[in-house]
Amino acid sequence: MGTINQLVLNGQKFLEDGNFDDALGYFEQALLLDQNDPDLWNFKAITLRSLGRYEEALECFNKSFEIDPRDKNAS
């Protein structure tokens, strides 16, 4: 495992490249290190949505909002 920032950067790169499975893995690793970061839940949700896993994505979006109801980055 790396630092959260490095994991997120790797995840974002894979997300941008359309490699959603690998992106998801990085965001899940980051969440193992910090489950209270709404941005991490949001990244995971975006990735799950991209994979067509809509119910799981909605759960992650809701978790992001639960942590920070004013999170303006949540999609």
Side-chain angles (χ1 to χ4, degrees):
M1 267 199 260
T3 67
I4 290 177
N5 289 339
Q6 189 59 51
L7 291 168
V8 170
L9 289 174
N10 290 341
Q12 288 175 311
K13 172 76 170 112
F14 282 114
L15 185 61
E16 290 169 8
D17 291 345
N19 192 337
F20 305 125
D21 289 317
D22 286 337
L24 183 59
Y26 280 104
F27 296 134
E28 287 179 334
Q29 287 180 53
L31 279 164
L32 290 174
L33 299 174
D34 184 0
Q35 293 190 1
N36 294 312
D37 184 333
D39 292 332
L40 297 179
W41 287 104
N42 195 51
F43 283 129
K44 182 177 179 180
I46 291 167
T47 306
L48 287 167
R49 183 180 62 192
S50 297
L51 287 165
R53 293 165 58 180
Y54 301 114
E55 286 185 35
E56 292 170 90
L58 185 58
E59 290 172 13
C60 292
F61 282 131
N62 287 337
K63 182 69 175 174
S64 177
F65 283 127
E66 181 183 309
I67 294 167
D68 184 359
R70 295 169 287 169
D71 182 12
K72 293 176 180 46
N73 294 319
S75 299

